Amino acid sequence: MAALIYSLLLSSIYFTLSCSATSNNGGFTIDLLHRDPPYGEARFRSIRSAIDRSFSRKSSLLSKISNTEIDSVDATVTGAGGEYVMKYLIGTPPVEQLGIADTGSDLLWTQCLPCRQCYKQNSPLFNPSKSRSYRPVSCYSEQCQFPSCDEGNSCQYEVLYGDRSHTTGGLATETLSFGGKIAFPKVVFGCGHDNDGTFSEAESGIVGLGGGSDSIVKQLRSTTGGRFSYCLTLLNANVSSKISFGSNAVVAGPDVVSTPLVKKAPDTFYYLTLEGISVGEKRTDLASSKAGIRPAVEEGNIIIDSGTTLTLVPQEIYQGVEAALDAVITGEKVTDPQGTLGLCYRVSGGQGIESPPVTVHFKGADLVVEAVSLFVEVEEGISCLTLVAAQDLAIYGNLFQMNYHIGYDLVKGQVSFQKTDCAMLK
């Protein structure tokens, strides 16, 4: 599920897609509004919760990869509170919903009446009986990828998340629109009648932006060309972030770098190839080089994910980066009181950590990570590195993605990056 940290500090990092959407030649752009983060102790509790969910999410995504023979969509994506919330309209007449925007899952679902068990949400639950365009998906339809049916032969779904959150209901088609202007008929979604777990009252469900067949990225492909992009503002920015689809999502210019999307199972995830990370001039590669020649690395060895806050890399990469940073950063080194993060320093007066440039080397694309993304204040006076070691699954998290315009093109099979001030993006 999409979610992790500080309001982009991940649990809180919440973003709401505003009702306003602009369209141009089949493309459209929506605001991702940055919810005001909590301050003081509440803020740090939110950050800690988001960090903890990063590890929970990693385990869930890994579980899904390990069980690719199971054909149920989103079956193991973690159910954490979201950081990005998309506002969309569903049904006829249209009803406003707020769904977590998640590149790590496919199915769009929302809480529905009648509700056998639902978590509390601020907005009214969707009532399919009042929509003229609601149509249950038949068990005999190709759209039904779940093995369960009700007495009327309507397709039923069940999604279980890594933290024991869940949603169960009927698969159906509906009219989906953004800003009340751009409508898409017969979009497959999950109408959840039994939902519970670590969901926030601000969320009515999930908007899956993954690469699988049930994702709205794939379902709207005839209009959007399989393209979407987003640009996440820095944590202290007071302006909205942006998410775009179709022609508006093209990331172009002389300073754009691109890296191939690697096709692997499950097709939900966006796999890239990480080659190494540099701290200043000191580079640590994924595998040790011999005679000055870097060995080939496994293709598709890292997932880029909007819902994970931290960036997780193999142990050998982490150790090299930590040692290089520790050698050049001046300041009092301290231990993370929670024992979660590996490299922490004492800070005061809201000051950040002065770090040399850190460059992430993907195949064909080098990305410079700003110090404000590299270190985050997890408790008052303690700032820690947002890079952690995880030998089993590497994830490029959203803190490292801030202030990059990132475009996904499923037709060309690539992800493009353009360094920019996302607060200035129109």
Side-chain angles (χ1 to χ4, degrees):
M1 170 188 318
L4 263 150
I5 247 189
Y6 167 173
S7 207
L8 208 144
L9 263 173
L10 251 120
S11 140
S12 288
I13 297 177
Y14 285 95
F15 291 86
T16 359
L17 277 171
S18 73
C19 286
S20 62
T22 60
S23 62
N24 179 37
N25 298 325
F28 56 96
T29 298
I30 310 168
D31 286 339
L32 288 167
L33 303 180
H34 190 292
R35 172 189 275 190
D36 291 335
Y39 294 93
E41 291 301 317
R43 171 194 175 193
F44 296 123
R45 284 195 298 270
S46 296
I47 294 171
R48 280 296 183 187
S49 296
I51 290 172
D52 290 342
R53 283 196 299 275
S54 290
F55 295 103
S56 174
R57 180 171 174 86
K58 185 266 294 185
S59 298
S60 296
L61 297 180
L62 181 64
S63 175
K64 183 172 177 64
I65 291 173
S66 302
N67 293 279
T68 54
E69 71 276 10
I70 299 175
D71 198 28
S72 57
V73 178
D74 304 337
T76 57
V77 179
T78 185
E83 26 181 358
Y84 310 101
V85 182
M86 291 181 62
K87 183 179 291 185
Y88 63 95
L89 301 173
I90 192 168
T92 308
V95 177
E96 182 179 291
Q97 300 292 305
L98 292 169
I100 300 168
D102 184 15
T103 59
S105 65
D106 293 325
L107 184 67
L108 182 154
W109 66 267
T110 190
Q111 295 202 109
C112 286
L113 294 173
C115 199
R116 296 189 297 272
Q117 175 179 313
C118 286
Y119 61 88
K120 184 179 179 181
Q121 71 176 53
N122 295 332
S123 58
L125 273 65
F126 179 63
N127 189 346
S129 68
K130 294 187 176 181
S131 173
R132 298 190 299 274
S133 49
Y134 179 88
R135 299 288 185 276
V137 170
S138 167
C139 278
Y140 306 108
S141 169
E142 292 182 358
Q143 297 169 319
C144 184
Q145 298 183 24
F146 298 86
S148 178
C149 298
D150 65 10
E151 295 179 354
N153 284 325
S154 294
C155 186
Q156 302 294 294
Y157 77 91
E158 180 178 9
V159 179
L160 305 176
Y161 298 101
D163 65 348
R164 299 185 181 180
S165 297
H166 71 271
T167 175
T168 303
L171 208 63
T173 61
E174 257 295 7
T175 297
L176 182 70
S177 60
F178 300 93
K181 299 178 181 179
I182 308 162
F184 300 93
K186 299 181 180 180
V187 173
V188 176
F189 83 110
C191 201
H193 301 295
D194 185 340
N195 324 286
D196 199 11
T198 58
F199 301 102
S200 163
E201 294 180 10
E203 308 149 2
S204 56
I206 292 177
V207 179
L209 299 173
S213 60
D214 284 333
S215 166
I216 64 168
V217 177
K218 284 292 185 70
Q219 291 194 64
L220 306 184
R221 184 169 174 170
S222 61
T223 300
T224 66
R227 296 186 298 264
F228 74 97
S229 70
Y230 53 77
C231 200
L232 306 179
T233 60
L234 297 178
L235 298 179
N236 59 356
N238 293 319
V239 298
S240 63
S241 298
K242 302 286 184 181
I243 184 169
S244 301
F245 295 84
S247 58
N248 288 18
V250 176
V251 179
D255 56 344
V256 171
V257 293
S258 300
T259 188
L261 278 169
V262 179
K263 292 184 178 180
K264 295 177 66 174
D267 58 4
T268 297
F269 304 139
Y270 297 111
Y271 295 91
L272 310 180
T273 301
L274 174 68
E275 296 179 337
I277 298 179
S278 295
V279 178
E281 298 298 320
K282 185 173 179 57
R283 173 166 172 158
T284 301
D285 287 311
L286 192 58
S288 58
S289 59
K290 297 180 180 179
I293 300 175
R294 298 190 186 101
V297 298
E298 177 190 358
E299 298 285 314
N301 56 20
I302 190 169
I303 293 169
I304 181 170
D305 182 31
S306 69
T308 302
T309 302
L310 302 176
T311 290
L312 298 85
V313 295
Q315 183 72 31
E316 61 267 32
I317 291 284
Y318 176 79
Q319 289 177 338
V321 172
E322 182 190 69
L325 287 170
D326 189 33
V328 296
I329 292 177
T330 59
E332 180 186 355
K333 190 176 177 181
V334 297
T335 301
D336 177 11
Q338 300 296 324
T340 303
L341 304 175
L343 187 63
C344 302
Y345 294 91
R346 183 82 62 191
V347 294
S348 61
Q351 293 179 339
I353 301 292
E354 292 187 10
S355 166
V358 172
T359 305
V360 178
H361 304 286
F362 291 111
K363 183 177 182 179
D366 294 340
L367 309 180
V368 177
V369 180
E370 298 183 35
V372 68
S373 298
L374 197 63
F375 287 89
V376 63
E377 192 173 4
V378 297
E379 294 187 16
E380 187 172 1
I382 298 178
S383 186
C384 295
L385 180 65
T386 60
L387 185 77
V388 297
Q391 199 63 44
D392 46 7
L393 179 64
I395 303 175
Y396 196 66
N398 59 35
L399 288 179
F400 273 33
Q401 298 176 44
M402 291 189 303
N403 262 1
Y404 270 96
H405 189 194
I406 303 176
Y408 296 71
D409 192 321
L410 275 58
V411 175
K412 290 184 177 180
Q414 67 181 25
V415 178
S416 298
F417 302 85
Q418 184 177 41
K419 194 76 176 73
T420 187
D421 182 355
C422 289
M424 302 300 293
L425 190 68
K426 301 295 185 182

